[in-house]
Amino acid sequence: MNASWQKPAMDQKIFKMNLSIDTVSAYLLCCSLTDAGTTVSTKNLTHVWNGTKEALTGALRQLEKSGIVQCILTDYPDNTVYKLVSAQNWNTPEP
């Protein structure tokens, strides 16, 4: 275990973006993996996702579109690795 304290990955801004429940759930799982020091990948997310593969894929697409996650590596169709983007750089909807 890492002895130094790190700020949790989750940002409350996610709840103000009017995203679907699946998308918010996928984000929370991404944060959980990040906080645990585990790679955020479709392979790892699939192990903890309770919905369908299609729902996870759609949620990850929405997270990418919103600038919340960024694809950093892929070996389609088996696995895609993501990184979380700082909340200040998310594509937030216009008021």
Side-chain angles (χ1 to χ4, degrees):
M1 178 170 206
N2 188 351
S4 66
W5 184 84
Q6 286 187 323
K7 181 180 175 186
M10 199 270 296
D11 193 293
Q12 293 287 323
K13 184 176 178 180
I14 193 72
F15 300 112
K16 299 175 184 172
M17 295 183 63
N18 202 27
L19 298 169
S20 73
I21 292 171
D22 281 346
T23 302
V24 173
S25 296
Y27 169 73
L28 295 174
L29 290 174
C30 290
C31 292
S32 177
L33 291 175
T34 298
D35 290 343
T38 303
T39 302
V40 178
S41 66
T42 51
K43 188 175 188 178
N44 289 335
L45 286 165
T46 301
H47 292 299
V48 293
W49 181 255
N50 289 327
T52 65
K53 183 177 180 178
E54 293 77 19
L56 177 59
T57 300
L60 289 169
R61 281 191 192 127
Q62 184 59 53
L63 289 173
E64 278 190 278
K65 181 179 174 187
S66 299
I68 297 169
V69 297
Q70 179 181 8
C71 174
I72 58 172
L73 180 67
T74 188
D75 62 355
Y76 291 115
D78 296 330
N79 198 31
T80 301
V81 176
Y82 298 92
K83 75 172 187 171
L84 290 171
V85 176
S86 173
Q88 66 191 23
N89 296 319
W90 293 356
N91 302 324
T92 54
E94 296 296 320

